[in-house]
């Protein structure tokens, strides 16, 4: 059974979260077969919400329960651009009169799925539009990725009213970090908090890449089962990948309860088809936000994605300008400096800053220059010799040296990451940059002594335990070298070679 499978935390990736067989009960789900829109499955709570028994709904075409306008609205939506039609105002005829819902309609796996949610009528649409426009304007003023994320967090909080908004960013290995936050004072901060990839398992990330907004209005809900949970076209369970009411993994519910979060929403940030991050919203009490507001948040996430793309490009351009400046400085320094080692030492700070490195070394055959945090000269010589054997002539790059080079185990905290560039094809001289272990540079903001009630699935489902798991995972690992950084290191090497050649020519002509 699914729950037992989910309960084994080593199998997180295998929980089939897209076919839970149930929904969250703040709305009603009706699965319809085309072309006559005959209901084939309905959530059990339809009885409590609409006073209609599931059997009665399953017995007739849906139009029997809708106003004439709603029935034609539904037909029009299905023959046109479905996604653009949502939300549909659906009028349901019940024994106690007409009830209007936000109808959210999609087609998937040979079925039409209609989900009915409460409507929000508190704000006028022009007011709302103004508010969203203001958010987008502010976002467009951001001048860095972090600033854009800060603004997005603030604007999403303003529009939704959640207690705490976090922007998570995924790393290349799918672990993640909270990089921006906006919150009320009484809820703890999770800013800078890191978590392991397994906290948001692979199948969840895949789902969040295609279905980008989800809401859990009340963590304490009782799931409402689909009757029956069977897709008559495929013979399998009903696939809720694109549903807005899909029941949430019980494992994740426990995680939220352990965090004292009782209402949540999250919006994916998808950049070039890859999940870049998430806007995650928490509330200490249950909270529902209407579909229109979720759409606005989706729009904000979209604008944020564009801003991130533009600003990341700009950051790379800015970096290459800095590379150029460092090169010029290097050239200048060498004008009145006889030795390569001396010249490099003079621009040590730039060489480190440019590569976000903590140490640098130039390891020649019988001469080593180093500055910042590096292994000892003896260790450096051994390391250079080893790199020259393992990777002769090429760029050597790792974010976890000790995993491939045993000797580094004793100093892996300060030099988990190494970037090595040989001076030339026939040269054993190496330019080496070092980065520290990433866990060393991060501190945990939460209170480890705060008592927490441990749920049926144990301690692992707590932010503190999950932070510890992340620390274990990244032991001996640095922040990886990015391609534009490696390119910059190669450019610095090329310049160093030019300088050496220039000096050689000068010497030659002086000797002639
Ligand atoms: C989903 N886990 C998630 C989501 C987040 C996290 C953000 C997306 C759903 C949402 O928006 O709430 C993780 N949330 C965090 C973390 C923090 C946070 C780390 O606020 C820290 C501040 N989760 C686990 C383990 C498993 C697991 C060990 O920690 C594996 C069994 C599973 N997480 C899990 C699953 C989902 C999930 C299955 C998908 C939930 C769903 O959509 O049904």
């Amino acid at each position: 059974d699914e729950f037992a499978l989910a309960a084994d935390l080593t199998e997180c990736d295998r929980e089939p979260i897209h076919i839970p067989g149930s929904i969250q009960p703040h709305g009603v789900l009706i699965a319809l077969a085309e072309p006559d829109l005959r209901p084939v499955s309905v959530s059990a709570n339809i009885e409590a919400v609409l006073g209609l028994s599931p059997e009665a709904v399953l017995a007739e075409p849906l139009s029997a329960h809708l106003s004439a306008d709603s029935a034609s609205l539904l037909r029009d939506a299905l023959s046109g651009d479905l996604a653009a039609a949502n939300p549909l105002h659906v009028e349901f005829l019940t024994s106690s009169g007409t009830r209007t819902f936000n109808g959210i309609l999609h087609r998937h796996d040979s079925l039409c799925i209609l989900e009915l949610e409460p409507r929000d009528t508190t704000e006028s649409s022009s007011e709302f539009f103004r508010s969203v426009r203001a958010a987008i304007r502010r976002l467009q003023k951001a001048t860095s990725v972090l600033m854009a994320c800060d603004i997005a967090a603030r604007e999403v909080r303003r529009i939704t009213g959640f207690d705490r908004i976090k922007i998570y960013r995924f790393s290349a290995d799918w672990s993640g970090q909270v990089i921006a936050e906006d919150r009320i004072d009484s809820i703890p901060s999770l800013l800078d908090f890191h978590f392991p990839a397994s906290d948001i398992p692979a199948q969840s990330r895949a789902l969040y890449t295609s279905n980008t907004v989800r809401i859990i209005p009340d963590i304490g809900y009782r799931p409402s089962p689909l009757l029956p949970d069977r897709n008559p076209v495929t013979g399998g369970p009903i696939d809720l990948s694109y549903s807005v009411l899909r029941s949430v993994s019980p494992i994740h519910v426990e995680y939220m309860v352990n965090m004292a979060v009782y209402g949540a929403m999250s919006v994916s940030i998808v950049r070039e088809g890859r999940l870049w991050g998430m806007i995650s919203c928490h509330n200490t009490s249950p909270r529902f936000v209407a579909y229109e507001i979720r759409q606005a948040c989706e729009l904000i996430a979209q604008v944020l994605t564009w801003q991130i793309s533009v600003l990341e490009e700009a950051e790379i351009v800015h970096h290459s300008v800095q590379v150029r400046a460092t090169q010029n400085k290097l050239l200048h320094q060498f004008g009145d400096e006889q030795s390569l080692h001396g010249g490099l030492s003079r621009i040590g700070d730039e060489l480190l800053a440019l590569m976000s490195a903590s140490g640098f070394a130039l390891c020649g055959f019988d001469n080593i220059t180093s500055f910042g945090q590096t292994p000892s000269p003896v260790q450096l010589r051994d390391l250079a010799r080893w790199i020259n054997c393992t990777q002769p002539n090429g760029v050597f790059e790792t974010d976890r040296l000790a995993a491939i080079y045993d000797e580094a185990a004793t100093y892996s905290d300060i030099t988990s990451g190494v970037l090595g560039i040989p001076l030339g094809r026939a040269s054993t001289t190496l330019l080496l940059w070092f980065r520290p272990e990433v866990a060393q540079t991060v501190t945990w903001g939460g209170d480890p002594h705060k008592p927490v009630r441990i749920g049926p699935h144990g301690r692992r489902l707590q932010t503190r335990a999950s932070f510890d798991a992340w620390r274990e995972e990244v032991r001996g690992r640095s922040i990886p070298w990015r391609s534009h950084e490696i390119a910059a290191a190669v450019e610095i090497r090329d310049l160093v070679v030019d300088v050496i050649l220039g000096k050689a020519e000068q010497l030659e002509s002086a000797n002639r």
Side-chain angles (χ1 to χ4, degrees), residues 185-207:
D185 291 340
S186 56
I187 194 170
S189 170
L190 292 168
L191 189 60
D192 293 334
F193 173 60
H194 288 251
F195 52 93
S198 55
D199 277 22
I200 310 177
Q203 86 284 30
S204 321
R205 294 191 305 263
L207 207 55

Side-chain angles (χ1 to χ4, degrees), residues 7 60 85 163 172 179 233 281 307 317-318 354 397 411 434 485:
E60 299 171 279
D163 290 341
I179 60 168
V233 185
C281 314
Q307 279 295 73
V317 169
H318 179 69
L354 202 61
E397 172 240 323
Y411 54 85
F434 298 99
E485 292 169 332

Side-chain angles (χ1 to χ4, degrees), residues 41-248:
S41 175
V42 61
S43 58
N45 64 340
I46 197 165
E47 184 122 42
V49 176
L50 288 171
L52 291 164
S53 77
E55 294 73 27
V57 178
L58 291 170
E60 299 171 279
L62 188 66
S63 54
H65 303 284
L66 299 179
S67 72
D69 281 353
S70 293
S72 70
L73 203 63
L74 216 62
R75 268 193 305 274
D76 289 350
L78 285 170
S79 58
D81 182 355
L82 240 185
N86 287 328
L88 302 155
H89 289 178
V90 177
E91 292 166 338
F92 236 89
L93 311 174
T94 75
S95 55
S96 56
T98 304
R99 300 266 315 270
T100 311
F101 294 90
N102 262 353
I104 299 136
L105 189 62
H106 76 276
R107 247 195 213 101
H108 183 58
D109 210 20
S110 312
L111 291 180
C112 279
I113 295 184
L114 175 65
E115 293 169 279
L116 304 174
E117 280 192 0
R119 288 180 61 200
D120 177 15
T121 46
T122 52
E123 201 167 10
S124 81
S125 62
S126 67
E127 239 176 287
F128 182 58
F129 175 71
R130 243 201 316 273
S131 159
V132 174
R133 199 178 54 181
I136 290 172
R137 268 220 194 103
R138 289 185 191 120
L139 253 181
Q140 283 171 330
K141 294 212 173 88
T143 54
S144 73
V145 173
L146 273 186
M147 185 177 168
C149 291
D150 274 337
I151 295 172
R154 226 171 18 244
E155 294 303 320
V156 170
R157 186 152 92 87
R158 191 174 58 81
I159 289 172
T160 63
F162 275 98
D163 290 341
R164 176 176 60 204
I165 314 287
K166 299 167 289 160
I167 314 277
Y168 285 134
R169 179 177 187 167
F170 289 105
S171 308
D173 66 357
W174 292 113
S175 67
Q177 182 186 4
V178 176
I179 60 168
E181 178 183 69
D182 192 46
R183 63 185 170 95
I184 55 169
D185 291 340
S186 56
I187 194 170
S189 170
L190 292 168
L191 189 60
D192 293 334
F193 173 60
H194 288 251
F195 52 93
S198 55
D199 277 22
I200 310 177
Q203 86 284 30
S204 321
R205 294 191 305 263
L207 207 55
Y208 299 164
T209 307
S210 48
N211 186 0
T212 61
V213 184
R214 63 226 136 255
I215 180 164
I216 315 171
D218 183 358
I219 297 288
Y221 74 94
R222 288 176 62 89
S224 181
L226 298 180
L227 303 173
D229 180 25
R230 187 173 177 281
N231 178 337
V233 185
T234 65
I238 293 183
D239 185 334
L240 296 184
S241 293
Y242 294 91
S243 149
V244 292
L245 296 172
R246 178 178 61 83
S247 195
V248 179

Side-chain angles (χ1 to χ4, degrees), residues 327-348:
Q327 284 184 318
N328 284 336
K329 202 159 172 194
L330 194 65
L331 265 179
H332 189 73
Q333 294 291 349
F334 276 115
D336 37 55
E337 178 66 56
Q338 279 314 307
S339 91
L340 178 59
H341 290 260
L344 285 173
S345 301
R346 285 210 199 177
I347 56 159

Side-chain angles (χ1 to χ4, degrees), residues 6 8-13 15 17 164 166 168 178 190 193-196 198-201 203-204 207-208 214 216 246-249 251-252 255-256 259 264-267 278-282 460-463 466:
D8 181 349
L9 295 191
T10 61
E11 308 237 320
C12 291
D13 287 353
E15 185 190 353
I17 64 170
R164 176 176 60 204
K166 299 167 289 160
Y168 285 134
V178 176
L190 292 168
F193 173 60
H194 288 251
F195 52 93
S198 55
D199 277 22
I200 310 177
Q203 86 284 30
S204 321
L207 207 55
Y208 299 164
R214 63 226 136 255
I216 315 171
R246 178 178 61 83
S247 195
V248 179
S249 158
I251 297 283
H252 185 54
Y255 195 102
M256 297 294 230
M259 251 197 289
M265 178 179 93
S266 58
V267 186
M278 302 206 299
I279 304 174
S280 159
C281 314
H282 287 167
R460 178 64 185 80
L461 293 174
Q462 288 167 13
T463 47
S466 134

